[in-house]
Amino acid sequence: MQPKTVILGSNFYTGLSIIRGLGAHGVHTVAMDYSYKNTYGARSRYLREHHIVPHYREHPEQLLQALIAYAKEQSTKPVLYPSVDPYVIFVDRYLDELRQYYLIPMTEQGLWSDIMDKGRLYELAARHGVLVPNSIHPDEERFEERVVADIGFPCIVKPTDSPAFVSKFREKNFLCLNIEDVRAAVGKAVDAKLNVIVQRVITGFDDQVYTFDAHLNQSSKVTHWMTCQKLRQFPIRFGASTFSKQKHIPELFDIGAPFLEAIGYKGFADIEFKKDATSGRFYMIEINARTTTLDPLFRKCGLNFPLILYRELTGQDIGTGYVQKDTGIAICFLIQDLIASRDYRRAKQLNVRQIVSSYFTRKAPAVWSFKDPMPGLHFSAIMAKKIIKRLLRA
């Protein structure tokens, strides 16, 4: 019997994309959530089962036992997909136990957590000769003096544990214009018992952010890859992509592939780089150790990373694949992009003509799909409720 797939989380773009990428090819998909609230991905016609399980943070041991119990009921090991960072951390924490019952690409417990921790990631990168932004930890000697002399302003106070930081502050980092801002930002993090670093801001507009996206097989060799360019993000300067396009940048393969192979990475990885406007050199910003919001764009360009992983883990031949030309295909998260576009205009970084012209390009479906309309309808209802609540508050 063909192995099932278990997707942890269907209340975000990534869960929906995994469901579609697998289900459209006849793979039995199972979504597991801690609540029915906002699980628009579970409305997909490609989902076969939907289960409510204990919360990954509040009851991790119970969630582990629920996953084991489900796997024991199956005739073959299911393939496990964490769709967002907290689930990646959960799977990594219990990797040795879960691998007894599930097919999971990573074999080294702790590696996912290491690369998600910015401090440990930058140590790994420096060890392998990959450029990273200058960073200083608040506990280091002459901290404030070195921030002023070596980092400069503006700078950012950035978490080593992004999921916990975002959960607490609803921001990815704190932008600081002077040393007083740095003191206040570090103080907030200390009060919240969160570890942070102060980091140099790489010069350049938001469209100088790029990604190297790859699948590494069980021998830690890159078999499939492509690169993308972020055009807009929200919040502007330090946010998540709202409009990105496929863009072939061979240099990113030359940097990203050797690094991932050297650290023994397996499965899908997304490395975010920023190109310094002054030097033209690429700096590693972070690594996503799970499917990203760009996944529909990858599929539209011919690389179905969730399916590639499934086929490899179930013993099928995956060959090799890459996108080595500019296709012009983009992906847009419209509601967030409209808000971001407003902010770019207010900051006088983009004008209306630049924004509008970007929409006239071939696009991958972020949520809406004529072949699978229900998630889009449910997502629209969720967004409408949020907008109405904000208007009522105003």
Side-chain angles (χ1 to χ4, degrees):
M1 182 179 178
Q2 187 184 48
K4 295 180 179 180
T5 58
V6 172
I7 298 102
L8 297 176
S10 69
N11 60 344
F12 193 60
Y13 303 106
T14 49
L16 170 61
S17 190
I18 296 169
I19 291 167
R20 284 173 169 169
L22 296 170
H25 290 268
V27 179
H28 188 114
T29 56
V30 182
M32 293 194 178
D33 292 282
Y34 57 83
S35 167
Y36 285 114
K37 185 179 180 181
N38 296 340
T39 55
Y40 56 89
R43 304 303 176 101
S44 173
R45 62 183 285 239
Y46 299 113
L47 186 69
R48 302 283 291 278
E49 299 178 39
H50 189 205
H51 301 280
I52 300 302
V53 293
H55 196 286
Y56 55 83
R57 187 184 299 115
E58 297 172 3
H59 306 288
E61 292 287 343
Q62 291 93 320
L63 173 56
L64 174 64
Q65 294 308 314
L67 287 169
I68 290 173
Y70 180 84
K72 284 182 175 180
E73 296 173 353
Q74 313 309 313
S75 58
T76 55
K77 282 185 178 182
V79 181
L80 188 62
Y81 293 82
S83 70
V84 289
D85 287 345
Y87 281 123
V88 175
I89 294 171
F90 168 82
V91 172
D92 194 41
R93 177 181 175 184
Y94 296 104
L95 185 63
D96 292 341
E97 295 97 321
L98 287 168
R99 278 179 55 81
Q100 299 177 47
Y101 303 96
Y102 287 87
L103 298 174
I104 303 170
M106 189 53 67
T107 56
E108 180 185 342
Q109 188 168 30
L111 182 56
W112 274 345
S113 297
D114 280 348
I115 65 174
M116 290 176 67
D117 182 290
K118 300 302 186 297
R120 294 200 290 269
L121 171 62
Y122 293 159
E123 290 175 6
L124 270 176
R127 200 180 307 157
H128 292 278
V130 177
L131 290 175
V132 294
N134 292 349
S135 304
I136 299 176
H137 191 276
D139 289 341
E140 293 184 39
E141 292 183 3
R142 301 170 29 249
F143 167 65
E144 290 193 3
E145 178 185 336
R146 290 178 59 200
V147 168
V148 175
D150 301 337
I151 302 295
F153 300 101
C155 64
I156 55 174
V157 172
K158 186 174 185 176
T160 58
D161 181 354
S162 291
F165 189 92
V166 172
S167 176
K168 174 66 177 179
F169 297 112
R170 300 299 173 187
E171 295 183 69
K172 293 185 73 173
N173 52 57
F174 295 135
L175 178 65
C176 301
L177 303 180
N178 49 54
I179 196 64
E180 289 76 20
D181 288 349
V182 172
R183 289 189 196 119
V186 171
K188 287 182 183 179
V190 169
D191 291 343
K193 298 180 179 174
L194 293 172
N195 196 28
V196 293
I197 55 177
V198 180
Q199 186 177 91
R200 173 197 163 204
V201 175
I202 304 299
T203 59
F205 184 55
D206 290 352
D207 64 359
Q208 294 306 297
V209 177
Y210 300 86
T211 63
F212 171 70
D213 302 280
H215 174 83
L216 287 87
N217 64 17
Q218 290 299 288
S219 299
S220 294
K221 297 296 180 183
V222 172
T223 61
H224 299 74
W225 66 277
M226 63 179 282
T227 57
C228 299
Q229 179 182 17
K230 184 185 289 188
L231 296 183
R232 294 189 289 274
Q233 58 188 349
F234 182 79
I236 64 174
R237 298 195 71 181
F238 306 106
S241 171
T242 62
F243 196 103
S244 292
K245 67 177 181 180
Q246 180 273 327
K247 178 78 173 176
H248 181 53
I249 311 289
E251 189 176 350
L252 297 185
F253 175 85
D254 297 335
I255 302 170
F259 173 73
L260 291 172
E261 292 177 352
I263 66 174
Y265 195 91
K266 300 173 182 179
F268 173 77
D270 166 277
I271 306 180
E272 184 173 292
F273 293 92
K274 186 166 185 182
K275 186 177 182 180
D276 189 286
T278 304
S279 68
R281 305 179 77 182
F282 290 97
Y283 287 77
M284 179 188 291
I285 304 299
E286 65 180 7
I287 297 182
N288 289 304
R290 41 76 184 165
T291 302
T292 71
T293 56
L294 301 185
D295 190 59
L297 175 58
F298 306 151
R299 283 206 313 277
K300 191 78 170 180
C301 292
L303 292 181
N304 187 336
F305 285 111
L307 186 63
I308 291 167
L309 176 63
Y310 177 84
R311 286 175 172 168
E312 183 188 14
L313 294 183
T314 56
Q316 302 175 56
D317 179 50
I318 60 171
T320 59
Y322 35 83
V323 181
Q324 290 188 299
K325 65 177 182 178
D326 292 340
T327 63
I329 303 174
I331 185 168
C332 175
F333 300 89
L334 186 59
I335 295 175
Q336 293 90 333
D337 193 56
L338 290 173
I339 299 171
S341 296
R342 176 204 63 190
D343 293 345
Y344 283 117
R345 286 185 60 226
R346 287 177 175 174
K348 297 182 179 180
Q349 294 177 324
L350 290 175
N351 58 45
V352 173
R353 182 188 60 78
Q354 291 170 311
I355 295 166
V356 172
S357 64
S358 68
Y359 290 125
F360 291 91
T361 186
R362 190 174 163 209
K363 290 186 285 295
V367 177
W368 276 99
S369 170
F370 288 111
K371 293 181 179 179
D372 187 28
M374 290 307 296
L377 291 170
H378 193 61
F379 179 78
S380 296
I382 293 170
M383 290 297 102
K385 288 179 182 178
K386 289 183 178 180
I387 292 170
I388 291 171
K389 284 183 179 180
R390 287 181 182 177
L391 290 174
L392 290 175
R393 288 197 204 106

